[in-house]
């Protein structure tokens, strides 16, 4: 497979990264994942904006503009023959001369762009619904950013895999009561029988899929409320939806010993979101 690294298209197995790249030594970097469908990159402008916001927050430079990132993606999609898959963007702060936690003011960031086929997902899950397991959220306090230090997420998702589940539903504890955060690589929203309930953005990723689906829900005159969602409330929810760029809107039918319906609200939102992706027209080029 071919990838783009700092201005060149190279083989993915060629030695491109220095031993002192700060992503290698410190996980000092950011990433994003965009869907590739019919050779288009739905909502790429939102993903790049999120990456740029975080670059600014962490004082990293963005090396390429939105239109440059999109044209590189088009080229990679063509050389790799991937029309449907995922686009991966990664920025690291740059390369040190020797390993040192302290970073200098001026760095040339390293930038990697990959267009690959969709990761292995059982396609039946969109019809049958996914099984999820709960898991403690052991991540740091900067989860509103898509940082590349994903070890707790990797452990969480492998725990789910070992339990034959698709994802985890992570939780943290406040005053002795557990509240839900998000998945290892996805967000959740719930239907409580009357309204859509979404865990508020409090140290969880501002998911692009979540924001699109909540807008669709509002446009369907569904009431949407963003608030703390306690784990002991989840049992009483009528429908549960898992959301992400690669999972889109996936029905959840089981969380630990709790069962849920693949109900009408999930069906409607899943189908409207599918239409939104399929009708995506690039606003840039
Ligand atoms: N993950 N929460 C986390 C922790 C995520 O890593 C992701 C996305 C989401 C959903 O965000 P979005 O709707 O913007 O894709 C929520 C990507 C797909 C990944 O890491 O591969």
């Amino acid at each position: 497979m071919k990838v783009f690294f700092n201005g060149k298209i190279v083989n993915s197995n060629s030695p491109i990264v220095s031993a002192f790249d700060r992503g290698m030594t410190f996980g000092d970097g950011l990433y994003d994942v965009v869907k590739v469908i019919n050779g288009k990159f739905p909502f790429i402008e939102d993903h790049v904006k999120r990456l740029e916001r975080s670059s600014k927050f962490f004082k990293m430079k963005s090396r390429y503009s939105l239109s440059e990132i999109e044209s590189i993606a088009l080229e990679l999609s063509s050389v790799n023959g991937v029309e449907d898959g995922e686009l991966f963007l990664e920025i690291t702060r740059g390369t040190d001369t020797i390993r040192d936690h302290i970073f200098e003011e001026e760095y040339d960031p390293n930038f990697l762009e990959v267009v690959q086929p969709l990761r292995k997902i059982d396609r039946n899950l969109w019809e049958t619904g996914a099984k999820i397991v709960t898991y403690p959220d052991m991540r740091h306090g900067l989860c509103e950013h898509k940082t590349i230090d994903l070890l707790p997420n990797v452990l969480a998702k492998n725990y789910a895999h070992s339990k034959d589940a698709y994802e985890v539903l992570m939780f943290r504890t406040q005053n002795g009561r557990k509240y839900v955060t998000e998945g290892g690589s996805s967000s959740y929203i719930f239907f409580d029988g009357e309204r859509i309930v979404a865990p508020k953005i409090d140290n969880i990723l501002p998911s692009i899929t979540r924001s699109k689906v909540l807008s669709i829900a509002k446009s369907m005159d569904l009431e949407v409320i963003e608030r703390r969602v306690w784990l002991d409330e989840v049992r009483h929810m009528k429908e549960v939806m898992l959301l992400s760029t690669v999972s889109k809107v996936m029905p959840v039918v089981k969380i630990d010993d709790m069962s849920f319906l693949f109900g009408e609200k999930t069906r409607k939102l899943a189908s409207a979101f599918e239409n939104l992706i399929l009708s995506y027209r690039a606003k840039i080029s």
Side-chain angles (χ1 to χ4, degrees):
M1 192 186 302
K2 302 277 189 193
V3 302
F4 177 92
F5 185 72
N6 287 355
K8 286 194 201 109
I9 291 197
V10 293
N11 275 323
S12 58
N13 58 1
S14 56
I16 46 176
V17 182
S18 157
F20 291 129
D21 168 84
R22 293 185 63 91
M24 288 280 293
T25 49
F26 296 111
D28 187 354
L30 299 165
Y31 80 106
D32 216 297
V33 176
V34 184
K35 179 132 192 85
V36 183
I37 188 151
N38 301 332
K40 297 194 183 71
F41 313 98
F43 324 129
I44 187 171
E45 62 279 16
D46 300 279
H47 290 270
V48 171
K49 224 177 265 167
R50 180 167 70 189
L51 199 55
E52 284 175 350
R53 261 202 315 271
S54 294
S55 306
K56 210 172 255 171
F57 180 87
F58 290 108
K59 299 188 168 66
M60 280 179 219
K61 282 191 238 159
S62 299
R63 196 170 177 137
Y64 297 98
S65 67
L66 171 59
S67 58
E68 285 167 324
I69 291 173
E70 196 197 21
S71 21
I72 297 162
L74 278 169
E75 196 172 343
L76 286 173
S77 163
S78 152
V79 292
N80 289 330
V82 176
E83 286 264 298
D84 293 292
E86 31 189 298
L87 162 65
F88 174 73
L89 308 170
E90 178 173 344
I91 304 174
T92 72
R93 190 178 299 279
T95 307
D96 283 322
T97 28
I98 56 164
R99 181 178 177 275
D100 186 346
H101 291 69
I102 309 299
F103 58 78
E104 309 279 338
E105 287 284 301
E106 283 302 312
Y107 269 100
D108 281 334
N110 289 321
F111 179 78
L112 172 69
E113 189 161 335
V114 177
V115 172
Q116 64 168 40
L118 192 66
R119 64 194 74 173
K120 218 164 64 195
I121 300 181
D122 176 359
R123 289 181 179 272
N124 293 324
L125 289 178
W126 281 285
E127 289 308 318
T128 58
K131 176 184 156 193
I132 306 298
V133 284
T134 56
Y135 191 79
D137 193 334
M138 295 187 278
R139 301 171 304 158
H140 51 54
L142 294 165
C143 295
E144 284 168 43
H145 302 278
K146 229 162 156 39
T147 60
I148 59 171
D149 48 347
L150 289 173
L151 187 53
N153 305 57
V154 167
L155 293 179
K157 295 212 48 133
N158 280 276
Y159 172 77
H161 187 66
S162 75
K163 299 285 177 197
D164 208 19
Y166 179 65
E167 234 310 10
V168 290
L169 170 63
M170 293 196 283
F171 61 84
R172 294 196 178 106
T173 305
Q174 186 178 30
N175 302 329
R177 197 173 173 197
K178 290 173 181 164
Y179 65 95
V180 305
T181 56
E182 58 188 334
S185 64
S186 33
S187 297
Y188 291 91
I189 58 171
F190 305 88
F191 176 60
D192 71 359
E194 283 181 30
R195 55 187 85 75
I196 300 292
V197 183
K200 64 177 178 178
I201 304 288
D202 169 18
N203 202 20
I204 64 170
L205 190 75
S207 149
I208 310 291
T209 316
R210 174 187 183 280
S211 111
K212 303 286 176 201
V213 171
L214 293 185
S215 298
I216 294 172
K218 286 175 195 164
S219 75
M220 290 175 166
D221 283 336
L222 277 167
E223 195 186 334
V224 173
I225 173 161
E226 297 179 52
R227 62 163 171 87
R228 182 76 76 234
V229 178
W230 303 99
L231 187 55
D232 55 29
E233 288 182 86
V234 169
R235 185 174 297 283
H236 307 292
M237 296 294 181
K238 301 290 179 270
E239 297 180 36
V240 183
M241 288 159 255
L242 179 154
L243 313 173
S244 88
T245 294
V246 295
S247 302
K248 303 184 284 184
V249 178
M250 188 179 275
V252 172
V253 290
K254 206 150 181 61
I255 304 178
D256 296 342
D257 66 338
M258 302 173 260
S259 297
F260 304 92
L261 276 181
F262 179 3
E264 193 210 335
K265 295 290 179 290
T266 307
R267 280 180 207 280
K268 276 195 173 150
L269 289 172
S271 135
F273 183 67
E274 194 72 35
N275 289 340
L276 187 68
I277 297 176
L278 291 173
S279 64
Y280 178 81
R281 298 272 171 274
K283 288 164 197 66
I284 39 147
S285 82

